[in-house]
Amino acid sequence: MTALYNETITGGPVAFAAAEDFLRMFHDAHPEAGAVRHRLAEVRAEIAETGTYRHTNEELCYGARVALRDSGWCTSGLPWRRLKVRDLRGIHKAQAVAAQCIEHLRLATNGGRIQPLVTVFAPDRPDSPGPRIWNAQLVSYAGYQEMGDARNIEFTESVEGLGWQPPVPRTAFDHLPLVVSTGTQDPQPFKLPRDVVEEVALTHPDLPWFADLGLRWPAVPVITNMRLCIGGIDYPAAPFNTWFVGTDIGTRGLADESAYAMLRPVADHLGLDTSTDRTLWRDRATLELNRAVLHSFDTARVTITDHYAETQHRLAWIRSRRNRGDRPAFRPPRAR
């Protein structure tokens, strides 16, 4: 999502069939929870009365873990059953949501030993929408016409319209504020404390001049604009994280022309022939960017994985994937 909108979305009553599918799956995995028929009867009555129902803490934790496992965001070697789930469904005010997002970042960073974490705020209800986080990631950089992350130019302009003022002078790595909306209230920007945001300065194992480029990246990717869907209930604010894959930073963030467009500066420093793509100068520059990312995170002792390990994990995930239907999932925001 790249722009801000004032309208809200309120869903209709929860479909009992979606709740039933999930609850049967949960009870199959947790026989100690008792007979599913009792829980189904309870949920059916609750939906008939209120149009929705409330997950138990155990159901919420299981649903969030399955959603992350099946989403493809779950990085290789990650024990999804041990993911930490913060149940904050009682929080729905913007300032409290922002404060808990900051706490999520602190807990997830964990001194560089990244802790996979999901924080779940209040769900959508038939009579009222839950809170929403408008940033794509909790820590992201502003995009200006002349510098910064070009993917965030439109979002940056929208945030400036809310009253946020970029630092003076502007840099290529200015932190965007966290933007939260609740109910019918307009989105509000909240500044991220500098002492909570850990970043990795990028250097290269063989190229001393690389440090002079002044590149850096957040230590942990906290995804904030995906809605968590469990058994027919939508949790529109459910920030979650694992850890970075090196190419997410080196290839998609730094090399891509639609982001930081660092290929040509790196190629120039390397003395590559950029007059034609036949020299594969883009490939060689991309390789050095990715080497720098992995080297820098390893040197800083911040958890990261590489795309070779991830490829094997994703292939195994694709082979085992089934038609999910109403299975728990992290999904993109609804079309507006």
Side-chain angles (χ1 to χ4, degrees):
M1 186 172 300
T2 57
L4 305 181
Y5 302 84
N6 289 327
E7 70 264 30
T8 57
I9 299 173
T10 302
V14 171
F16 177 72
E20 182 178 11
D21 285 349
F22 168 69
L23 291 171
R24 289 189 182 280
M25 182 173 66
F26 171 78
H27 279 259
D28 284 345
H30 295 84
E32 72 280 3
V36 67
R37 65 179 183 277
H38 299 309
R39 179 61 173 146
L40 289 176
E42 181 180 70
V43 168
R44 186 188 293 275
E46 191 174 353
I47 291 175
E49 180 180 354
T50 67
T52 187
Y53 69 104
R54 179 179 174 83
H55 291 126
T56 66
N57 177 263
E58 292 76 14
E59 291 166 355
L60 179 73
C61 291
Y62 175 73
R65 288 165 180 155
V66 170
L68 188 57
R69 180 197 68 187
D70 290 353
S71 69
W73 287 94
C74 191
T75 51
S76 58
L78 178 63
W80 64 273
R81 290 182 178 84
R82 294 168 54 192
L83 290 177
K84 291 189 176 181
V85 180
R86 302 175 72 220
D87 182 356
L88 300 182
R89 287 175 287 174
I91 293 180
H92 51 80
K93 294 185 178 180
Q95 186 169 3
V97 169
Q100 290 300 328
C101 284
I102 293 168
E103 178 65 5
H104 178 122
L105 182 59
R106 186 187 69 79
L107 294 171
T109 304
N110 193 33
R113 300 181 302 277
I114 305 303
Q115 169 64 58
L117 192 64
V118 178
T119 298
V120 184
F121 295 107
D124 282 340
R125 297 182 59 85
D127 57 347
S128 62
R132 278 161 171 74
I133 302 169
W134 295 88
N135 309 61
Q137 292 195 23
L138 182 53
V139 181
S140 54
Y141 297 121
Y144 311 115
Q145 295 299 330
E146 69 280 6
M147 69 175 74
D149 194 333
R151 296 171 296 184
N152 293 330
I153 289 177
E154 185 180 357
F155 185 77
T156 301
E157 292 172 349
S158 297
V159 174
E160 288 185 83
L162 296 177
W164 176 72
Q165 296 182 348
V168 179
R170 298 181 179 189
T171 74
F173 296 96
D174 295 337
H175 292 161
L176 284 166
L178 180 65
V179 180
V180 181
S181 64
T182 57
T184 58
Q185 295 180 334
D186 290 337
Q188 301 178 53
F190 297 91
K191 183 178 180 180
L192 295 176
R194 292 288 304 182
D195 62 342
V196 178
V197 180
E198 182 171 340
E199 295 172 288
V200 176
L202 302 186
T203 60
H204 193 283
D206 302 320
L207 307 172
W209 53 260
F210 195 96
D212 297 334
L213 297 175
L215 303 177
R216 61 178 185 265
W217 211 258
V220 56
V222 183
I223 309 300
T224 47
N225 69 341
M226 303 285 281
R227 56 193 176 99
L228 173 60
C229 308
I230 303 175
I233 295 179
D234 279 5
Y235 298 93
F240 67 95
N241 71 277
T242 56
W243 42 72
F244 273 117
V245 180
T247 50
D248 288 340
I249 303 170
T251 301
R252 297 184 183 90
L254 297 174
D256 199 299
E257 294 295 323
S258 65
Y260 272 89
M262 288 302 301
L263 286 183
R264 192 169 293 274
V266 170
D268 289 343
H269 277 83
L270 290 169
L272 303 180
D273 178 4
T274 61
S275 63
T276 173
D277 289 341
R278 299 280 290 183
T279 64
L280 301 183
W281 65 271
R282 298 179 191 277
D283 303 71
R284 295 174 65 185
T286 300
L287 172 63
E288 299 306 338
L289 282 167
N290 281 297
R291 287 186 67 202
V293 168
L294 293 175
H295 165 78
S296 301
F297 271 68
D298 287 345
T299 299
R301 297 184 178 180
V302 173
T303 308
I304 195 169
T305 187
D306 62 78
H307 58 289
Y308 291 105
E310 283 308 295
T311 297
Q312 296 303 314
H313 166 71
R314 299 296 171 104
L315 287 174
W317 172 71
I318 290 171
R319 293 190 188 104
S320 64
R321 197 179 186 193
R322 299 292 184 268
N323 183 6
R324 292 184 296 165
D326 286 314
R327 290 169 66 86
F330 280 100
R331 295 175 182 151
R334 295 183 185 275
R336 294 178 175 270

